[in-house]
Amino acid sequence: MTLRPTKRVLALLAVVAIACVHILFFRRPRSPPPAQSAFPDIIHHHTPLPPPGHAHWPLLDKLLGPPLLPTKCRDLPVPDYYWSAQDAFTPAFVAIPNPQQVPVGETVCVRVVVPAKPARSSVLYTPMPDMPWDSVLLDLVGRQTNVSVPVHLQMAPDIRNTRRDSVHVYEADVVLRDADEYRARGYIEFRDAEWNPDGGLQPVAYGTEALYVPETLSVTVEDDGTSKYSLARHMELPLCTEADAEGRWVAEAMLPFDAELVAPAENHGLVWLPYACRLRRISYSEYISCLATRYPMMHWYGDSNLRRALKKITTLGEWCSANATHYNSTETRTCLCEDYADGFQPFDARYRELMIDLDPSGGRALTKPTKYADVPEGVARMYLHKWEGLSYRNRPPWPQEFQNGITSRYGHPMMALISLTNWDAAFSSRAYFAVEMQALLDHLAREYTPFTELYVRTGQYYCCRTDVGQRPRSYSRLRNAYFDQYVVDAFAERFGGSHRLHVWDVASISERLPLWVRRDNVKCPSNHARAEIVEVENQVLMNAMCNREVERPAFVDVGGEVVLNPWTSVDEHLAFDEYDGASDEESSSLGDVESESLDPFDF
């Protein structure tokens, strides 16, 4: 007897087949289809939609859960209708494709669409290479923690973004590491490249333009209890050994541990906590002891921002502290902004060159001629060169000191710190700065062997205003950021393979403050950080310099050329005789060269 399938069985088999097809083909990550109209459907575009052709199977949907959607910008095509946005009909808006609940540490794509608008400025204003036409200040802000994460927007890869009169679409992948619900907050600072008054152009008055952010637009970051970034596990992190660790500001009241164990809070009660490491609170006495042991000779180049850091160091932290007895209280003009005119006993800020000795009692400038390389036991000696960056405003010109010889007069340092951007972004064109920067790199390469650690200090963060005074400075948030990145990249390219190179990133520390705190600095024309922020910046540097082991071999091989360490003993240099690949004759000749100067500080 032959059994024939009934219609009911065939129908059941068809249902199973369709379900299998659904599982195999429609569970793939797909982008939502673009909305068809320009503005009313923007809000709907932010709601995850089922893939095209997605059949409605409630039971399977419940079992399988919502489809996994891509979150990185490269996996999310820019909808075509973005490019038809016109300023007369559509405001500039923020979009987060596929907003959803994401785990801690996930990347989220954020886009901003600036509609086409008739140019308001002269065509002389152009952006820096690979920089946006429009300056958009945007943060993702946690509703519960108030953690502020900057969104560093870049032009989406589309030829239309290169045109001044086009719609401009910007995007950024943002990593969110703190559990919270995040909402976008920000505004347009400048359009049409007016943020970049390069080559003598006049700065444009600051005027903000609102961004449309749908009320329902948010991203929720969830912690399943295993996040290494949680505050509960912060004290398990290793100590910071670099000065550019990414972090966030957290209210001191939210810390689940003793606040004395980390860097001190700034004036609003916010504490700087890096994500991948932790800062311990280092006293200035301990720091100077560390310097005397590891870096007994240093060369520092910088402007008034570095001067403010040194005022903290030379007074063992008393300058502009809450319990100051000799060096100003925290709310004076000196501590909030400008300290140039104030008398300061340890050193005179008016001098271009100073030699400062640091010991357990603090710091003071040397007033009598001395053999600078002969550093007393327990002392760290610093050659301080004050400059206006590499700008034309240096008197005498900055190269003069290098041409006269730095190490021949002030010894070979264990560490050299170079601070740039502040004066350069203000008074130098990009072309002029590029030439001067190349000259500086050449001078540094001649003066400092691979045994000198190089620290690059970024400029201070700048935002929320334009300098239009009698001596207008060409500052802007994006312009300063461009100069910072140019400097860091140039040093990395030149010295990354030969020297131990570090970045003291003070800009990102202030950039991650809540926007309302950043606006406090508008009151300071010189853009100095107030004393509490200076203290945090110093703690970051002190941790980087003192938390790691410093190894100084007797010699290194740099591109086939052997360089001897000027600070190690003669016995260590004699070990060079056993260096692999060196003949007895070569070893003997090198040993003779070294024997001419047995004292490593006898220059």
Side-chain angles (χ1 to χ4, degrees):
M1 177 177 174
T2 303
L3 295 177
R4 295 183 178 181
T6 65
K7 293 182 178 180
R8 184 170 300 177
V9 172
L10 291 174
L12 181 59
L13 291 174
V15 169
V16 172
I18 294 173
C20 291
V21 171
H22 170 77
I23 294 173
L24 290 174
F25 296 101
F26 294 110
R27 283 288 293 166
R28 296 178 180 176
R30 294 172 184 255
S31 302
Q36 299 303 311
S37 59
F39 183 63
D41 290 332
I42 289 175
I43 298 178
H44 302 297
H45 174 64
H46 299 301
T47 304
L49 300 176
H54 178 83
H56 186 61
W57 295 90
L59 180 59
L60 288 176
D61 286 345
K62 185 175 181 180
L63 292 174
L64 300 176
L68 300 177
L69 301 173
T71 58
K72 292 188 176 180
C73 292
R74 68 168 182 263
D75 301 323
L76 294 160
V78 176
D80 287 337
Y81 73 89
Y82 280 8
W83 299 103
S84 63
Q86 295 295 319
D87 188 74
F89 307 102
T90 306
F93 62 89
V94 181
I96 302 179
N98 298 340
Q100 55 189 305
Q101 292 182 347
V102 299
V104 167
E106 183 58 76
T107 297
V108 174
C109 176
V110 180
R111 288 192 173 119
V112 171
V113 179
V114 180
K117 184 176 184 178
R120 296 177 299 149
S121 65
S122 166
V123 294
L124 294 176
Y125 289 89
T126 56
M128 294 291 192
D130 301 320
M131 294 290 282
W133 286 96
D134 311 294
S135 178
V136 181
L137 191 159
L138 188 68
D139 301 319
L140 293 184
V141 182
R143 294 189 66 183
Q144 302 298 323
T145 62
N146 286 320
V147 166
S148 182
V149 182
V151 180
H152 297 144
L153 295 163
Q154 294 294 324
M155 291 187 290
D158 191 292
I159 190 65
R160 286 169 285 192
N161 260 333
T162 64
R163 301 201 308 262
R164 181 189 296 271
D165 59 351
S166 170
V167 174
H168 294 138
V169 180
Y170 306 110
E171 62 185 18
D173 287 325
V174 183
V175 180
L176 299 173
R177 297 183 175 88
D178 293 287
D180 206 336
E181 179 186 359
Y182 291 86
R183 297 180 181 274
R185 297 288 183 265
Y187 50 82
I188 298 175
E189 298 180 290
F190 300 97
R191 285 223 198 184
D192 305 323
E194 289 180 337
W195 59 267
N196 185 34
D198 197 50
L201 295 174
Q202 288 298 306
V204 177
Y206 196 77
T208 63
E209 181 180 340
L211 286 172
Y212 175 72
V213 182
E215 288 296 326
T216 57
L217 184 65
S218 67
V219 176
T220 299
V221 179
E222 293 188 329
D223 182 1
D224 60 3
T226 63
S227 170
K228 61 183 178 181
Y229 306 117
S230 69
L231 296 181
R233 302 183 62 183
H234 184 76
M235 298 308 296
E236 300 174 12
L237 295 173
L239 292 173
C240 295
T241 57
E242 293 295 340
D244 60 348
E246 184 180 336
R248 77 291 208 188
W249 291 93
V250 177
E252 190 173 20
M254 295 179 61
L255 300 182
F257 47 80
D258 186 355
E260 294 292 326
L261 297 176
V262 293
E266 52 83 73
N267 54 300
H268 297 94
L270 300 175
V271 177
W272 177 248
L273 299 178
Y275 284 113
C277 61
R278 63 183 174 89
L279 299 170
R280 63 187 179 94
R281 190 173 301 189
I282 297 178
S283 69
Y284 286 96
S285 295
E286 180 185 351
Y287 177 56
I288 290 175
S289 176
C290 161
L291 294 179
T293 302
R294 301 183 179 199
Y295 305 96
M297 180 172 290
M298 301 173 290
H299 292 178
W300 285 28
Y301 304 84
D303 54 29
S304 54
N305 293 280
L306 201 59
R307 176 186 72 220
R308 291 170 71 82
L310 283 173
K311 285 188 174 182
K312 278 283 188 185
I313 296 172
T314 55
T315 62
L316 302 182
E318 185 178 354
W319 180 76
C320 288
S321 64
N323 58 351
T325 57
H326 297 95
Y327 299 106
N328 312 101
S329 62
T330 56
E331 295 302 317
T332 62
R333 179 69 174 170
T334 290
C335 303
L336 297 177
C337 176
E338 189 52 72
D339 60 296
Y340 177 75
D342 290 359
F344 187 68
Q345 185 176 356
F347 62 86
D348 192 330
R350 296 172 298 177
Y351 282 92
R352 286 286 177 181
E353 293 184 292
L354 288 170
M355 191 63 65
I356 298 175
D357 272 3
L358 301 167
D359 60 29
S361 65
R364 61 199 171 278
L366 298 180
T367 57
K368 296 181 180 180
T370 184
K371 192 173 183 180
Y372 294 123
D374 292 338
V375 183
E377 186 74 21
V379 172
R381 180 163 290 172
M382 175 190 300
Y383 163 70
L384 175 64
H385 181 86
K386 182 184 180 299
W387 63 14
E388 279 73 53
L390 307 181
S391 72
Y392 68 91
R393 301 184 68 88
N394 284 287
R395 296 291 184 272
W398 70 266
Q400 180 173 310
E401 286 305 312
F402 284 94
Q403 292 164 359
N404 293 334
I406 296 292
T407 54
S408 61
R409 291 180 294 152
Y410 303 117
H412 288 270
M414 289 75 176
M415 173 264 210
L417 189 153
I418 298 93
S419 176
L420 295 167
T421 291
N422 297 305
W423 284 78
D424 305 296
F427 296 109
S428 296
S429 68
R430 174 183 174 273
Y432 179 90
F433 181 68
V435 173
E436 297 298 292
M437 187 70 197
Q438 185 59 52
L440 174 65
L441 297 175
D442 291 341
H443 283 300
L444 294 176
R446 283 191 292 267
E447 293 287 348
Y448 299 124
T449 72
F451 296 99
T452 296
E453 292 186 39
L454 299 178
Y455 276 78
V456 179
R457 186 187 191 275
T458 66
Q460 299 301 130
Y461 175 75
Y462 187 90
C463 88
C464 315
R465 66 190 187 276
T466 297
D467 188 341
V468 291
Q470 293 182 349
R471 189 184 63 175
R473 289 166 283 194
S474 299
Y475 284 145
S476 77
R477 183 181 58 86
L478 284 187
R479 181 174 168 84
N480 285 35
Y482 177 86
F483 273 76
D484 275 341
Q485 194 60 54
Y486 187 95
V487 170
V488 171
D489 290 346
F491 269 85
E493 181 178 353
R494 184 64 176 268
F495 299 113
S498 59
H499 292 63
R500 282 167 290 182
L501 181 63
H502 313 276
V503 177
W504 183 15
D505 189 359
V506 299
S508 66
I509 294 174
S510 291
E511 181 185 26
R512 287 177 174 258
L513 284 165
L515 182 56
W516 61 272
V517 177
R518 280 175 268 165
R519 285 174 173 157
D520 281 354
N521 210 36
V522 172
K523 306 169 187 175
C524 182
S526 57
N527 199 44
H528 288 149
R530 60 180 294 155
E532 294 90 345
I533 298 295
V534 173
E535 173 66 27
V536 176
E537 295 170 352
N538 282 359
Q539 288 290 331
V540 169
L541 177 66
M542 294 190 293
N543 273 262
M545 295 181 69
C546 299
N547 285 344
R548 58 188 172 80
E549 295 297 326
V550 178
E551 297 181 1
R552 294 195 175 96
F555 52 86
V556 293
D557 188 334
V558 180
E561 179 183 355
V562 175
V563 180
L564 301 181
N565 188 337
W567 310 302
T568 52
S569 66
V570 175
D571 291 339
E572 289 177 300
H573 279 165
L574 292 178
F576 174 75
D577 292 344
E578 301 178 3
Y579 179 65
D580 290 342
S583 66
D584 292 340
E585 182 179 355
E586 291 171 335
S587 300
S588 176
S589 63
L590 284 168
D592 291 339
V593 171
E594 179 57 28
S595 66
E596 295 177 4
S597 176
L598 300 183
D599 184 352
F601 289 111
D602 183 16
F603 298 108

